[in-house]
Structure formats: C-alpha cells, structure tokens
Amino acid sequence: MNYSIIRYILCRILEFAALFMTLPCLVGIIYGERAVFSFLAVMAGCLTVSLIGRRHKPTSNVFYAKEGFVTVSLSWILLSLVGALPFYLSGEFPTYTDALYETVSGLTTTGSTILTDVEGLSRSIQFWRCFTHWIGGMGVLVFILAILPLSGSYNMHLMRAESPGPSVGKLVPRVKNTAMILYGIYILITALQVISLLIAGMGLYEALTLTFSTVGTGGFGLLNTSIGSYPTAVQTIFTVFMLLCGVNFQMYFLLLIRKPKDVLRCEELRYYLGIVFLAAALIAFDVRGLFANGFQAFHHALFQVASVMTTTGFCTLDYNVWPEFSKTVLFLLTLLGACAGSTGGGFKVSRLIILWRSIKTEISLAIHPRSIKKIHMEGHIVEEGTLRSVQIYAVIYVMVFLASLLLLALDEYDFVTNITAVAANFNNVGPGLELVGPAGNYSFFSPFSKYVLMFDMLAGRLELLPVLVLFSSKTWRR
C-alpha cells in the first residue's frame, strides 16, 4: 500500500474543499450573513492541515487498483466530514450527525434531508447545500484529475473507482483529457440550464442553486414544496435536464465529435428512454382521475418518473397519495436508476440489460447444453470480467440492502417507510414513501439509523466495492 500518495491526494482534497467553499462564502458576504465566518474558519483549517500534510512529498507516485479504491473512499469520507462543519458551526443544524447526514446526502447526490424547514436556512448555507450536489455529481477525483494529473496512466484506477457503472474507459488516450472533456460537458449542461431558467423568469440565485441540484441529480430545493410552487414551464425545464443528466456522458462526447449514429445504436439509451416514457404513460393513466386533464396527469407523471429514475428526487406534489400501482412503479424505478456514466445513481440500466441477457443465456443453455452462447451488447461480446463483476455487484447489492433494512428495523418504524428509506438512500434518490415520502424527511430516525443510511449513500454512489474494500484486512497490508 502506497500510503504516501494517499496522504498527498487527501491533502489536495482539503485544498479543493477550501476552494469550493469560496463560492458560498461570497454569497454570505453579499447577503451579509454570519454563516460566512463558519466557512472562513473551515477554509483556514483545511489549508493549514493540507500544508502540514504535504510537507513531505510522496515517496512514489505509483498506485494500483487497491490504492485507487482506498483513495476514492477516504476522499469522499474526508470531504463529507469537512463539508459538514459549516452546517454545524453556523448553528443552523442541531447536531453534527444531522449536518454530516445532510452533507453526505448532498455529495452523493441523494437529496434526502433531515430538515423540517428548508426555507429557514440562510442563503449561503442553502448555496453550499445545493453546491455539494454539483461537486459530487461528476466526482471530486475526476475534477482533480482534470486540473492536477497525478501519475500518468495510474490515474485510471481513480477514475474507475469513482465513476458509476459496470465499466469505464477513456474517451481519449490521456486520462487528464478524458476528465477535462467530462467536466467540460458537465459545465456546458449546467450553463444551458441556468440560461433556460433565467429566460423562464427565475432569479440568478435560484437558477444557480437549483441547477446544481438538477445537473448533479441531487434534488435539494430551496422551498419546502421542492419544485411544486414553480410554473409548469419551469417544471418542464427541470424534467428535460433531469433526463439529460441521466444519460451516459459519453453520448454527448459522441455528439460533439459528430458520431450521432453511435448514439442511436446505444442500447442502454434506448432502454432508458423507453422505460421512462412507458412508466410515465402507465402512471398518467393510473392517476388520470386526480387531475383536471390528461396533459396535467402526464406532466406530473413524467416529472416524477424522470426525478426518480435519474435519482434526482425533486417533487412537484406528494405522490404518497397516488394509487398503489403508481407508487409501486416509482419504487421499482428507485431500484433501477439511470445510465452508467451519468450523474445518476441506482443499479443502472446497463447492468439490468446484462443480467437479463445472462438469465436468457442460462435458460437457453439448460435447453441446449452443448450450444455456445455469448452475451452481446451494442454489437460487442460482453467480456467475462464485466459479466462477473455485474453478477457479483448484484449479489452484494442485495446483501447490503437486506442488512441495512434489518438494522433500520431496530427503530420500530413501519416496513414501507424502512424499505423505501433504504432504497432511496442506497440508490441515491432521496424521497421514499410513507414517513420518508415527498412531504416527509429523515429527521425522526435515530443517530444509529442515520449512520446506516449514510453508509448506504456512500456505498451506492461509489458502487459498493471502493467502500467495502476499506473493511478488508488485506487492503492495509504493505
């Protein structure tokens, strides 16, 4: 284990944490808020610790998959611990556990909250709360790779450990350039949504903060009603950009280099859009009696489907009052999630496709044992390594889910609340059903349950293995 390079990267994380906090600090200065002193204190502490920690250069810049997993996990944990300090020091969160829960929820783009009155927060704290979504959406390590290349080809271990999906590859030969392209696309989509909301009549502060929550597929809002108080046209803008950010960002790169045919051939994209519109149509038909006309029914159904499937978590209304069929569809979409390589969480559409085709192959082999069957996706054979990782991921996913559900049951809340709370946090969606529905929050859970849900959020965002590696004794051997 190359501890020196891990220490070096963690110190750089502290520096970037201080850099990120300059924006909410400026917001606090503009609005004359006391919370600005909380940000300044944390920024000073981060820079001091980083300078002390980086006094000794790494003995070696070489690191492999093990170091990549450990570095990514510890980076997210460290950023969460530090990011929670302004919330707590400002006095706007009652306990550090609550502040930490909100920060982990923000960075992992989950969007679940312990707040009962979102509108009571100061503007700088609101800004930081939403900005954590944008930071975590693409990944803090990807950002660092785009700005500060660390050790040549070994950077790929960091990107693979942090990027969502069954596999990740380089868009261009150099990892730094790949990271820069991803962030360039990310910033472009952010700018497009801000401009769209400004044209729709929204103020700059609202447009920025809500765009951070949308593009990061997080879901933190500025109002207790989430997006429900905004006009239909504004809600439609959110629907469009939620769906755009649930797409694999490689598709946008292909469009930029003028390869639209490759985009059209993407099976995951076709399944993703097909599931979204099919689910929206089914729910719209099921809830048609609750709205004045079919357009309103489809509008709200599509918004909620897009919000849940992309794991954003925005709401236009309380779908807890919808029929059981509609709530069941939304729960299943909570488990599914968005595309690999997007800012969305969940199990991922690509994994579902691979698992479904694995089942079909096994059935075919049972009927014709001597036949040779290969699983294909987008015209290519799925490699055995990828197939094995998807199958192992599915097993671990179920085991962690059940273990979390069992631990949450110690709080003695109803089953629907518990299972949807685990599903919403593990898949980085945010709201669930019953007590944790769109009109509810997570403040009533015990501190122990909140830490269980925080673990689920981190494990879900980092695709399980980087977090679970920390618990293996073999990881820490030199």
Side-chain angles (χ1 to χ4, degrees):
M1 176 71 75
N2 188 349
Y3 289 104
S4 61
I5 189 65
I6 295 174
R7 170 182 50 80
Y8 175 80
I9 295 174
L10 291 179
C11 288
R12 300 314 297 250
I13 289 291
L14 289 175
E15 292 176 12
F16 279 99
L19 175 65
F20 292 141
M21 288 182 192
T22 56
L23 288 179
C25 191
L26 288 173
V27 172
I29 292 172
I30 292 171
Y31 289 99
E33 296 174 340
R34 293 181 59 186
V36 67
F37 295 108
S38 303
F39 288 106
L40 290 173
V42 177
M43 289 164 64
C46 288
L47 293 175
T48 301
V49 173
S50 177
L51 287 175
I52 295 173
R54 288 203 301 115
R55 289 179 63 186
H56 301 287
K57 295 293 183 181
T59 55
S60 171
N61 287 336
V62 175
F63 57 93
Y64 297 99
K66 181 170 66 173
E67 285 87 352
F69 284 135
V70 171
T71 301
V72 167
S73 296
L74 293 182
S75 295
W76 280 74
I77 293 170
L78 178 62
L79 190 58
S80 298
L81 293 170
V82 170
L85 289 174
F87 287 151
Y88 180 63
L89 295 177
S90 67
E92 298 186 35
F93 284 74
T95 66
Y96 181 74
T97 295
D98 285 344
L100 182 61
Y101 182 93
E102 203 78 6
T103 307
V104 173
S105 179
L107 289 171
T108 59
T109 72
T110 303
S112 57
T113 181
I114 52 85
L115 294 171
T116 56
D117 182 19
V118 174
E119 297 172 29
L121 297 177
S122 61
R123 286 181 175 261
S124 55
I125 292 296
Q126 278 277 33
F127 189 95
W128 176 239
R129 183 170 173 264
C130 294
F131 191 46
T132 55
H133 280 331
W134 197 86
I135 296 169
M138 185 58 66
V140 64
L141 268 300
V142 174
F143 178 81
I144 288 179
L145 290 177
I147 306 299
L148 263 172
L150 298 170
S151 55
S153 61
Y154 298 105
N155 286 337
M156 201 60 199
H157 294 303
L158 287 177
M159 185 168 284
R160 283 201 178 100
E162 189 175 53
S163 298
S167 63
V168 62
K170 293 183 284 187
L171 302 180
V172 290
R174 294 185 63 192
V175 174
K176 176 186 176 181
N177 292 343
T178 297
M180 291 178 66
I181 289 169
L182 288 172
Y183 253 96
I185 295 170
Y186 194 50
I187 292 170
L188 177 61
I189 294 175
T190 302
L192 288 174
Q193 185 178 352
V194 170
I195 293 169
S196 299
L197 292 175
L198 290 174
I199 293 172
M202 190 176 284
L204 179 60
Y205 175 82
E206 279 186 298
L208 275 173
T209 49
L210 292 176
T211 294
F212 293 151
S213 294
T214 309
V215 178
T217 59
F220 280 156
L222 302 178
L223 304 175
N224 294 327
T225 55
S226 187
I227 307 298
S229 301
Y230 295 100
T232 301
V234 173
Q235 292 175 359
T236 302
I237 292 173
F238 283 107
T239 303
V240 170
F241 280 92
M242 283 190 294
L243 290 174
L244 288 175
C245 293
V247 174
N248 190 330
F249 273 53
Q250 186 176 353
M251 299 300 103
Y252 301 123
F253 175 71
L254 292 174
L255 289 176
L256 288 174
I257 61 174
R258 299 180 182 180
K259 290 186 177 181
K261 292 182 179 179
D262 291 345
V263 176
L264 295 175
R265 282 196 292 265
C266 178
E267 291 184 68
E268 184 183 35
L269 179 60
R270 294 201 302 270
Y271 276 96
Y272 165 72
L273 294 176
I275 292 170
V276 165
F277 286 103
L278 175 61
L282 290 172
I283 292 177
F285 181 79
D286 190 43
V287 301
R288 66 193 185 282
L290 302 177
F291 297 94
N293 53 60
F295 171 78
Q296 286 188 14
F298 185 76
H299 165 76
H300 289 287
L302 181 60
F303 184 97
Q304 295 309 149
V305 167
S307 179
V308 170
M309 186 157 177
T310 61
T311 70
T312 305
F314 280 140
C315 306
T316 55
L317 39 71
D318 184 7
Y319 53 76
N320 241 338
V321 300
W322 282 3
E324 292 302 318
F325 176 80
S326 295
K327 291 193 290 185
T328 302
V329 171
L330 290 175
F331 174 70
L332 294 176
L333 294 178
T334 297
L335 301 177
L336 177 56
C339 298
S342 70
T343 58
F347 189 78
K348 300 293 184 300
V349 176
S350 58
R351 284 198 181 97
L352 183 65
I353 295 172
I354 292 173
L355 283 178
W356 173 247
R357 291 181 179 172
S358 298
I359 293 170
K360 289 175 64 178
T361 299
E362 287 301 313
I363 293 173
S364 179
L365 288 172
I367 299 171
H368 304 287
R370 295 185 179 181
S371 62
I372 298 175
K373 297 286 184 179
K374 293 290 185 181
I375 298 173
H376 291 77
M377 191 166 177
E378 297 175 10
H380 302 286
I381 296 174
V382 178
E383 297 179 1
E384 287 297 323
T386 301
L387 183 59
R388 185 181 65 255
S389 68
V390 169
Q391 293 169 343
I392 293 297
Y393 182 90
V395 173
I396 299 174
Y397 178 95
V398 172
M399 292 174 65
V400 173
F401 190 102
L402 294 177
S404 300
L405 182 60
L406 182 63
L407 293 173
L408 233 63
L410 295 173
D411 276 359
E412 297 293 338
Y413 293 109
D414 65 276
F415 181 74
V416 174
T417 294
N418 288 340
I419 193 171
T420 57
V422 172
N425 283 265
F426 195 22
N427 294 284
N428 308 129
V429 174
L433 295 172
E434 298 300 335
L435 297 178
V436 293
N441 57 73
Y442 290 76
S443 60
F444 58 87
F445 279 113
S446 66
F448 174 77
S449 291
K450 288 174 183 174
Y451 280 103
V452 171
L453 294 174
M454 280 188 258
F455 172 84
D456 288 342
M457 287 188 274
L458 285 168
R461 172 57 181 86
L462 297 179
E463 307 275 286
L464 295 175
L465 283 182
V467 175
L468 296 180
V469 159
L470 296 178
F471 297 93
S472 173
S473 59
K474 294 181 180 178
T475 300
W476 305 102
R477 296 174 185 171
R478 290 186 177 272

